[in-house]
Amino acid sequence: MLNVSIIIPTWNEQDRITDCLDNALRQTVMPHEVIVVDNRSTDNTVAIVQQYMQEHPEAPIRLLHQDEEQGLIPTRNYGLNHATGDVLGRVDADCMLKPDWVEVVAGIFTEDPEAMGATGPVTYYDMPARRMALRGDDSVRRHTYRADGGEVLLFGSNMALRASAWKLIANEVCLDKEDVMHEDIDVSLHLLGRGLKTVYSERMICGISARRMDTSFKSFRNYMKRFKNTFEAHPQHWRSHKSERTLYLMYPWLHALFPVYQQYLKAKDINPAVRMWFREQVNLARREGDNLEDLPGIEEFINEVPTDIDGISEVNEDIPTDETDEDATKVANAEGTAAKGGAR
């Protein structure tokens, strides 16, 4: 089976990088390497990663520094260019990978030699109704997040490239000095422009933060304009559906609920990034022979269901604490209902 590198571009991510690394390393198949590429962070991001490496000397972590230029794209490119795996996973520093993410990604590219890029659905770990959000996101990406009559577009928070494919387009991808494009869609269109295959898997699941929705509408609108700007930079490519329309519909609900839910998490002293896949990780540890006796109260933690937040019952009367493998296999069967629920 092919091995997988994970590349994490970072800039001032001291609050999330430890959780991100924990999830990247608590995998059913260990990644070939986890590369953290720091881009002139002014907080404690670098020190935290260095300490993590000292405390986990067996972990395949590499800390790189991209100091020549400020920006996501040069930092991303630096990480991808220095990775040594067969497959290059690219996620954000606030992403929480599902415990079987590496195994799923390795399987996608091993089983399909023509696959050059892959992506999957995401859900918000710091919002309620995560199962509904996962189903809604799956429906959007399955049906509308496409180009050129149905070709899959990759999502930067949850994507992977075959190393050989990246080498083909590494010197072609747009540098976007004005910072007005979606860099992940740009990568997708460069792959498609070379006739390379991109694929979608509902099993390639990642948790992301909803913090983008906690910005002003003006900022959110400018972010949505990046879709149009990216396709205008690639006039040979086209799309039938505008995914940003669904995001516009979701914005008012998520923007209003996000700060309320953060207050709840703070009051309950809950780290949502830790809780995201914790039940699955606990079960995995137990299967490997660790009974976790040194973690008192773990049963209450992994089973806690938030029920006392104003407005939650209007979103979903049965809010789960995580998504199981069985839920993931049911995603396709719930697409119609999910699209309506996710767009509230």
Side-chain angles (χ1 to χ4, degrees):
M1 181 172 287
L2 300 176
N3 60 40
V4 179
S5 296
I6 299 176
I7 294 88
I8 310 171
T10 60
W11 177 73
N12 290 352
E13 292 287 356
Q14 64 179 17
D15 294 335
R16 281 285 176 257
I17 190 61
T18 296
D19 297 325
C20 182
L21 290 173
D22 282 343
N23 279 269
L25 293 168
R26 292 172 181 166
Q27 294 284 315
T28 55
V29 171
M30 182 63 69
H32 171 65
E33 60 189 351
V34 177
I35 302 177
V36 178
V37 189
D38 181 71
N39 182 212
R40 303 177 181 174
S41 290
T42 58
D43 65 357
N44 292 323
T45 298
V46 171
I48 291 172
V49 175
Q50 291 173 334
Q51 181 178 353
Y52 193 100
M53 294 171 66
Q54 292 177 358
E55 295 175 351
H56 303 82
E58 77 290 349
I61 303 173
R62 297 171 59 192
L63 174 61
L64 305 181
H65 300 273
Q66 193 288 107
D67 297 329
E68 292 186 6
E69 186 176 356
Q70 191 77 56
L72 172 59
I73 291 177
T75 305
R76 175 204 69 189
N77 293 356
Y78 191 87
L80 292 172
N81 288 336
H82 284 79
T84 61
D86 302 315
V87 178
L88 313 180
R90 179 268 195 258
V91 300
D92 291 322
D94 64 348
C95 288
M96 306 300 144
L97 298 178
K98 195 170 184 287
D100 63 354
W101 192 88
V102 172
E103 182 178 3
V104 168
V105 169
I108 290 171
F109 289 92
T110 299
E111 295 164 11
D112 186 352
E114 295 184 359
M116 295 296 154
T119 196
V122 299
T123 186
Y124 297 122
Y125 58 77
D126 48 9
M127 289 288 284
R130 291 183 295 280
R131 183 181 300 167
M132 184 173 67
L134 177 63
R135 291 174 176 173
D137 189 82
D138 173 75
S139 181
V140 169
R141 298 194 189 284
R142 189 186 296 273
H143 296 297
T144 70
Y145 206 67
R146 304 290 172 119
D148 301 349
E151 301 297 331
V152 172
L153 292 173
L154 308 181
F155 180 46
S157 296
N158 185 20
M159 62 180 277
L161 303 168
R162 195 179 293 270
S164 58
W166 169 248
K167 291 178 181 178
L168 287 175
I169 66 171
N171 295 323
E172 301 175 358
V173 293
C174 298
L175 298 180
D176 188 22
K177 298 291 186 178
E178 294 79 17
D179 191 24
V180 295
M181 296 167 56
H182 278 310
E183 51 87 19
D184 47 1
I185 295 180
D186 175 70
V187 168
S188 305
L189 296 181
H190 280 283
L191 290 173
L192 298 179
R194 279 185 165 266
L196 301 178
K197 181 181 179 181
T198 54
V199 300
Y200 176 85
S201 172
E202 69 272 13
R203 294 183 59 233
M204 183 177 164
I205 302 172
C206 175
I208 66 173
S209 173
R211 60 186 181 178
R212 171 66 62 182
M213 298 296 182
D214 196 33
T215 58
S216 68
F217 181 73
K218 180 179 179 181
S219 175
F220 178 76
R221 185 169 179 268
N222 288 334
Y223 186 74
M224 291 298 100
K225 287 181 179 179
R226 290 173 179 261
F227 285 97
K228 179 181 178 182
N229 296 339
T230 307
F231 275 91
E232 287 183 346
H234 296 273
Q236 70 274 33
H237 297 282
W238 54 279
R239 55 181 179 156
S240 301
H241 304 281
K242 295 184 177 180
S243 300
E244 59 266 39
R245 291 177 177 173
T246 301
L247 295 173
Y248 271 121
L249 291 173
M250 294 173 63
Y251 173 82
W253 173 71
L254 292 174
H255 181 69
L257 190 56
F258 183 82
V260 176
Y261 196 62
Q262 302 319 297
Q263 292 178 7
Y264 166 83
L265 294 172
K266 183 178 181 179
K268 295 289 187 178
D269 194 24
I270 294 173
N271 182 336
V274 170
R275 190 183 61 182
M276 183 72 227
W277 308 115
F278 201 63
R279 182 178 295 170
E280 292 187 29
Q281 292 169 347
V282 166
N283 291 336
L284 176 63
R286 285 173 174 157
R287 287 198 299 271
E288 294 177 347
D290 187 349
N291 60 16
L292 305 177
E293 291 180 350
D294 58 338
L295 296 176
I298 193 172
E299 297 297 340
E300 291 78 5
F301 177 81
I302 64 176
N303 288 305
E304 181 177 0
V305 179
T307 57
D308 55 349
I309 313 172
D310 292 338
I312 287 298
S313 60
E314 299 176 11
V315 179
N316 189 4
E317 293 182 357
D318 183 18
I319 302 170
T321 54
D322 67 352
E323 286 71 45
T324 64
D325 291 335
E326 181 180 359
D327 295 326
T329 62
K330 294 179 180 178
V331 166
N333 297 329
E335 289 172 358
T337 303
K340 296 179 182 178
R344 285 193 203 176

